[in-house]
Amino acid sequence: MKILTLFSLFVTYSSGNSINIEENAGQFFSSGHTNNWAVLVCTSRFWFNYRHVANTLSVYRSVKRLGIPDSHIVLMLADDMACNHRNPKPATVFSHKNMELNVYGDDVEVDYRGYEVTVENFLRVLTGRLPPSTPRSKRLLSDDRSNILIYLTGHGGNGFLKFQDSEEISNVELADAFEQMWQKRRYNELLFIIDTCQGASMYERFYSPNLMALASSQVGEDSLSHQPDLAIGVHLMDRYTFYLLEFLEDIHPASKSNMNDLFKVCPKSQCVSTPGHRTDLFLRDPGSVLITDFFGSVRKIEITMETINLTDPIQQVELSPVNEELQIEKYSYADQLPVSEIIHQKPKQRDWHPPDGFILGLWTLILLVFFKTYGMKHLKHIF
Amino acid sequence: MAAPLTLLLIVAVTIRAALYRSSLADLISERVEVVSPLTAWKRVVEGLALLDLGVSPYSGDVFHETPLIIYLFHFLVDYAEITFMLADVITAVALYLTVKEYNKQVFRKQKYALEADRYPLDCLELIRSPKEMFYIPLKVAMFYLLNPFTILSCVAKSTCGLNNAVLSLFILATVKGNVLLSAIFLSLATYQSIYPLTLCASALLYLMQRQYIPVNFRRASFWWFIVQYAFMYLGSLFVIVCLSFFLLGSWDFLPSVYGFILSVPDLTPNIGLFWYFFAEMFEHFRLFFLCVFQINVFFYTIPLSIKLKEHPVFLIFMQLAVISIFKSYPTVGDIALYMAFLPMWSHLHRFLRNIFLVCCVLLTCSALFPVLWHLWIYAGSANSNFYYAITLLFNVAQILLVSDYFYAFLRREHHLCYGLYLKRKDGYEATLVLK
């Protein structure tokens, strides 16, 4: 009797579960990504830009806490605040005053440090065009199933971001870099967050698909810093990232918060500037995009005893090269070099010849002058 | 004198050929002191390559030489080295013949003046004798061929060598008295770079004096000769420009060549005075200063020709020097041409005052040019001010050289009129000052 009830319970449970599994299987691959990367860049040096390093390290901390390993994070810090000789608490970088939270920790791995943080290196990391001797920790080895989080902070202006007080990256360059990444299939979806003055100008020029961007202020507004710590003597964080950190502290790997919640972080009352976002290039609805799709490396694991028929959503993607009419938007690679033409190059020929009239006229004149100078009597010696 | 000249030519050609084969040729052809955007060889090659691709060579800011150069090098681009060596040889031979002819003139005039008893008695030591003048033509040819500036310019395959050849042929034709050839070569030289226009006045003066036409504004024969010469000059210039039009079928060589020379858009550093000024100038004043700088080249023609109307060959020397210093893109090849004339005035050495200073400054500056260029561009520890300072100093030294020779020449003439040991009214020795 008990065995019967248990058995029936088990059957109903498993059948219930199997229905769930079938549904979940559809959701399983809904986001389309299989790995996560993060590129976190602080572009300012000098002690008074402590807050930019703290910004980047706080995002690093959140991203690492939510599961992205150091091998998948490219952390670029333009200056060393933890071991700066003006730091009264060496080997620490605090994000909250009264030293509540040390974002530096024991296991921070900085990949690009100090003067290595340049526009060229940043663009090379993004596009993957690094010299062969670059170690793996300094490369963004993403593929077309990677979701990448890119976080930039520093001093910026309308259309540019300043690197190291000596050079700038413009919004056009950034947009072109992302287009290169798209054409080389280096990302599946990309979330771009920027915390600088007039940060919205940096995402104005994006034109590649699957990009979502957030900025801490609109064009014409400055992003303000949050709070100084009187013991350390500098401002510790910027407002936008401070509230972003507070928001992310509530996220855990299984949370279902989506991007719409992220857009609400730091309203004008808290941030003084108006954060902006851009989702028109993003193919999915932002409400269906989980925070952990970008900030964490959440591997979906469902343990089941059932066999699942992986039906249409998956097969359609696999069959798309065959059934071309099913695909609505077809992306293609950029034109490659016409190698065949280069290999069989013909030798260069001199194609241009001076016109005959010119040669005739010129030499007639020269002969005329010659004979005028030396007299016609010489003619009889020649002929 | 043919044998020493031939020997000199062989030595010069050997030096140049040796330098062509060495690795220095590439190094030299990139130095900004030796090539300018007008005269660089790689621009000529680039222009020819563009033409082979079916594009006008003047499209883009690459090629700024005249179409006749295109025609010349279309056939000779594989023999470019021989062409430039030949140009140098022609220049040297032309200068040699010029100086020989000029010496004959000088000696003849001196003989007449002596017979007419026009020299005071105590300046007999200033009279030149054929014996001392015998080696001057060879020295002039040697000064031109063995001048390091000329050798550098030839090895760099700068078209300045061709310009020098045309100019020296013009001077030869003028000194020989051939009006037509002089007009034609002058128009060729003007066609290639505009500045030889100022040599018109000196050529006119010389030819008129040779044909015994009095240089007097009220005489009809004076104006008639000017009309004839101007007609030949402008006519041949017009014919050459039209021929150039027929070569490529378009007029876009006019802004590329003449517009480029006159409006100085390219501010690559060189040994001239234009680049630094125009690099730091506000756009608002650019036209004004452009006019000022360009007029500066042409401005000295009339005063100098009034002062030196008895001595047109010296006037040619002064004009060449003024052109080389104040033109918009000078190179060391231009300097080499007027320096070749210096042995002609070696009899003035007792009146030259600054020659030691000038020599030292010229040598030092020539040595410092590559050093400061390296410090500025490669080491990054100097900046353009350093290089421009040396440029300025170099030009000041050249101006000092030219004005020194001017002073010495005029002083000699003064002594020939008034005697060598001049006394003031109270019996003390007088000094002559150039005002």
Side-chain angles (χ1 to χ4, degrees):
Chain A
M1 190 55 184
K2 275 192 189 170
I3 299 169
L4 201 64
T5 42
L6 272 174
F7 185 70
S8 62
L9 272 173
F10 183 70
V11 165
T12 46
Y13 177 69
S14 56
S15 62
N17 242 2
S18 71
I19 299 167
N20 268 348
I21 293 292
E22 293 284 345
E23 280 172 17
N24 285 348
Q27 283 177 18
F28 206 85
F29 299 108
S30 65
S31 68
H33 74 281
T34 59
N35 55 77
N36 283 82
W37 285 82
V39 178
L40 311 173
V41 184
C42 160
T43 60
S44 320
R45 52 174 36 244
F46 305 127
W47 174 245
F48 47 82
N49 291 322
Y50 183 101
R51 59 191 189 280
H52 297 139
V53 174
N55 287 351
T56 318
L57 283 172
S58 60
V59 177
Y60 171 79
R61 169 204 158 75
S62 309
V63 149
K64 207 160 150 179
R65 191 175 54 80
L66 291 171
I68 303 186
D70 273 312
S71 59
H72 283 232
I73 303 178
V74 177
L75 178 61
M76 303 171 81
L77 297 180
D79 204 355
D80 183 5
M81 298 306 170
C83 300
N84 193 308
H85 25 263
R86 290 170 75 166
N87 191 346
K89 300 273 173 206
T92 58
V93 174
F94 293 109
S95 62
H96 287 66
K97 68 173 189 228
N98 300 326
M99 298 168 231
E100 286 167 13
L101 179 59
N102 175 18
V103 286
Y104 199 67
D106 292 331
D107 57 350
V108 169
E109 272 187 31
V110 182
D111 299 305
Y112 284 83
R113 61 196 63 167
Y115 287 110
E116 291 170 352
V117 178
T118 60
V119 173
E120 181 185 345
N121 281 349
F122 175 60
L123 290 176
R124 282 188 184 277
V125 164
L126 287 183
T127 54
R129 294 162 73 175
L130 289 159
S133 55
T134 318
R136 286 178 72 94
S137 60
K138 284 187 163 170
R139 289 179 186 260
L140 178 65
L141 295 166
S142 56
D143 54 28
D144 66 324
R145 296 282 110 210
S146 306
N147 274 15
I148 308 183
L149 165 72
I150 297 186
Y151 177 82
L152 293 175
T153 183
H155 289 287
N158 189 354
F160 67 92
L161 169 63
K162 185 170 74 159
F163 268 68
Q164 301 261 19
D165 213 24
S166 69
E167 52 179 0
E168 298 167 353
I169 185 171
S170 66
N171 48 7
V172 179
E173 283 177 329
L174 199 56
D176 287 341
F178 286 155
E179 175 65 13
Q180 272 196 55
M181 287 174 81
W182 173 254
Q183 289 193 4
K184 290 163 84 164
R185 302 287 182 268
R186 281 171 69 76
Y187 68 90
N188 174 41
E189 284 164 351
L190 198 146
L191 176 65
F192 174 78
I193 305 183
I194 184 161
D195 187 352
T196 64
C197 303
Q198 309 192 50
S201 64
M202 288 306 282
Y203 61 65
E204 273 173 2
R205 299 290 202 129
F206 290 170
Y207 56 96
S208 314
N210 277 345
L211 294 176
M212 193 184 324
L214 282 104
S216 58
S217 56
Q218 299 293 332
V219 174
E221 288 179 349
D222 290 336
S223 288
L224 302 178
S225 55
H226 185 58
Q227 47 181 215
D229 181 295
L230 295 172
I232 297 178
V234 283
H235 286 263
L236 295 182
M237 283 276 270
D238 282 328
R239 285 177 186 248
Y240 182 76
T241 314
F242 182 81
Y243 291 107
L244 181 69
L245 177 64
E246 282 197 355
F247 172 76
L248 288 174
E249 289 289 301
D250 293 330
I251 307 286
H252 55 88
S255 85
K256 296 285 175 202
S257 315
N258 54 41
M259 281 296 158
N260 285 335
D261 302 324
L262 191 60
F263 296 153
K264 294 195 201 102
V265 163
C266 203
K268 194 167 164 115
S269 54
Q270 283 177 325
C271 253
V272 185
S273 58
T274 319
H277 57 266
R278 182 176 176 179
T279 54
D280 57 310
L281 293 167
F282 204 75
L283 293 180
R284 291 193 289 153
D285 171 38
S288 68
V289 179
L290 301 177
I291 300 280
T292 50
D293 278 350
F294 287 102
F295 282 89
S297 182
V298 176
R299 302 270 67 79
K300 279 196 168 340
I301 301 176
E302 297 265 356
I303 302 176
T304 173
M305 301 294 205
E306 303 282 324
T307 50
I308 301 169
N309 209 358
L310 293 175
T311 51
D312 297 13
I314 311 303
Q315 271 178 356
Q316 216 169 34
V317 171
E318 280 170 8
L319 281 175
S320 59
V322 180
N323 301 332
E324 272 158 302
E325 56 276 275
L326 282 177
Q327 214 155 5
I328 305 160
E329 266 175 280
K330 198 171 165 186
Y331 297 110
S332 60
Y333 284 106
D335 283 338
Q336 302 294 319
L337 274 178
V339 175
S340 52
E341 285 165 30
I342 294 176
I343 289 176
H344 301 294
Q345 206 171 28
K346 293 187 196 62
K348 185 182 74 110
Q349 286 167 7
R350 293 231 189 94
D351 303 326
W352 177 78
H353 291 285
D356 300 326
F358 171 81
I359 303 179
L360 200 68
L362 184 69
W363 287 101
T364 315
L365 282 171
I366 293 177
L367 279 174
L368 272 176
V369 168
F370 177 74
F371 285 122
K372 172 76 177 60
T373 320
Y374 289 104
M376 300 300 280
K377 62 183 192 293
H378 288 269
L379 266 181
K380 98 166 150 27
H381 290 283
I382 296 169
F383 290 105
Chain B
M1 290 287 282
L5 183 64
T6 321
L7 182 65
L8 176 66
L9 289 177
I10 291 175
V11 167
V13 167
T14 314
I15 297 177
R16 285 165 171 75
L19 277 173
Y20 272 128
R21 291 283 163 265
S22 77
S23 62
L24 287 174
D26 287 327
L27 197 72
I28 293 172
S29 58
E30 286 172 11
R31 300 280 340 154
V32 286
E33 298 96 13
V34 185
V35 295
S36 70
L38 278 177
T39 62
W41 173 247
K42 70 175 171 131
R43 286 180 183 251
V44 174
V45 171
E46 190 77 23
L48 288 174
L50 279 175
L51 204 51
D52 287 333
L53 288 171
V55 181
S56 156
Y58 297 106
S59 56
D61 186 32
V62 168
F63 182 67
H64 297 289
E65 271 289 350
T66 57
L68 279 183
I69 301 276
I70 294 182
Y71 174 66
L72 180 72
F73 282 114
H74 176 71
F75 298 107
L76 293 177
V77 71
D78 297 323
Y79 308 109
E81 298 165 2
I82 301 180
T83 313
F84 284 105
M85 283 199 275
L86 200 64
D88 270 357
V89 161
I90 290 176
T91 315
V93 169
L95 287 175
Y96 176 85
L97 294 171
T98 309
V99 179
K100 261 175 77 165
E101 179 69 30
Y102 176 66
N103 282 350
K104 276 195 238 162
Q105 300 276 330
V106 160
F107 196 59
R108 193 159 20 118
K109 262 213 277 193
Q110 204 170 255
K111 202 166 74 149
Y112 290 157
L114 271 176
E115 284 171 7
D117 217 9
R118 271 200 269 141
Y119 294 143
L121 286 168
D122 56 357
C123 66
L124 285 174
E125 57 199 69
L126 290 179
I127 308 271
R128 307 171 73 183
S129 65
K131 201 162 117 186
E132 83 180 58
M133 300 204 305
F134 184 65
Y135 279 111
I136 290 182
L138 189 63
K139 279 193 209 165
V140 166
M142 192 162 66
F143 259 56
Y144 184 75
L145 280 176
L146 299 180
N147 192 348
F149 290 154
T150 329
I151 296 181
L152 283 176
S153 180
C154 182
V155 171
K157 293 195 268 213
S158 154
T159 58
C160 191
L162 297 173
N163 207 14
N164 285 356
V166 171
L167 274 171
S168 61
L169 283 171
F170 153 70
I171 299 175
L172 176 64
T174 312
V175 165
K176 290 268 188 191
N178 191 332
V179 182
L180 176 67
L181 273 186
S182 151
I184 288 178
F185 280 121
L186 187 63
S187 66
L188 265 178
T190 313
Y191 165 74
Q192 198 171 357
S193 73
I194 309 177
Y195 299 108
L197 181 62
T198 57
L199 293 170
C200 233
S202 39
L204 274 171
L205 281 172
Y206 186 88
L207 289 166
M208 279 198 273
Q209 287 171 8
R210 195 182 165 93
Q211 295 187 358
Y212 302 112
I213 300 171
V215 181
N216 195 340
F217 289 127
R218 281 167 236 139
R219 296 292 196 98
S221 51
F222 173 76
W223 291 111
W224 175 237
F225 186 78
I226 289 188
V227 164
Q228 277 181 313
Y229 191 82
F231 175 72
M232 279 190 278
Y233 173 65
L234 290 172
S236 45
L237 193 59
F238 178 72
V239 164
I240 294 173
V241 167
C242 285
L243 264 182
S244 317
F245 170 71
F246 284 122
L247 182 71
L248 288 172
S250 70
W251 289 110
D252 53 350
F253 71 96
L254 286 176
S256 273
V257 181
Y258 304 118
F260 187 81
I261 296 177
L262 287 176
S263 70
V264 192
D266 186 322
L267 296 175
T268 318
N270 47 48
I271 57 176
L273 300 162
F274 278 64
W275 59 276
Y276 189 82
F277 263 100
F278 286 96
E280 61 173 6
M281 189 165 293
F282 293 116
E283 277 302 314
H284 187 65
F285 296 109
R286 195 192 154 93
L287 185 61
F288 169 67
F289 276 103
L290 202 59
C291 294
V292 166
F293 273 73
Q294 297 286 4
I295 287 175
N296 193 27
V297 185
F298 296 99
F299 189 69
Y300 298 101
T301 316
I302 309 274
L304 277 177
S305 35
I306 293 175
K307 184 74 188 169
L308 290 173
K309 64 175 187 263
E310 313 282 322
H311 315 285
V313 181
F314 191 73
L315 178 62
I316 289 182
F317 165 70
M318 292 283 293
Q319 288 285 24
L320 278 176
V322 161
I323 291 173
S324 307
I325 298 171
F326 294 113
K327 72 192 282 196
S328 46
Y329 292 102
T331 60
V332 292
D334 303 310
I335 297 172
L337 183 63
Y338 81 79
M339 278 199 185
F341 282 92
L342 293 180
M344 282 167 78
W345 326 114
S346 56
H347 58 278
L348 300 171
H349 70 271
R350 56 185 295 176
F351 299 120
L352 291 171
R353 295 180 305 168
N354 299 322
I355 209 67
F356 176 67
L357 176 71
V358 164
C359 282
C360 288
V361 173
L362 282 177
L363 281 172
T364 321
C365 287
S366 313
L368 276 176
F369 271 123
V371 169
L372 284 168
W373 179 259
H374 177 87
L375 274 181
W376 172 23
I377 302 285
Y378 297 110
S381 52
N383 56 36
S384 58
N385 297 319
F386 290 67
Y387 194 77
Y388 190 61
I390 299 299
T391 303
L392 269 180
L393 203 56
F394 191 70
N395 285 323
V396 162
Q398 285 184 61
I399 295 173
L400 203 56
L401 171 76
V402 165
S403 60
D404 213 19
Y405 268 94
F406 189 50
Y407 165 79
F409 193 85
L410 289 178
R411 183 165 165 179
R412 180 174 173 271
E413 297 303 314
H414 188 265
H415 281 314
L416 284 176
C417 284
Y418 297 108
L420 189 52
Y421 298 102
L422 300 168
K423 300 236 179 305
R424 288 203 295 228
K425 295 205 179 72
D426 50 3
Y428 283 108
E429 191 182 336
T431 45
L432 282 175
V433 174
L434 182 67
K435 281 223 163 157

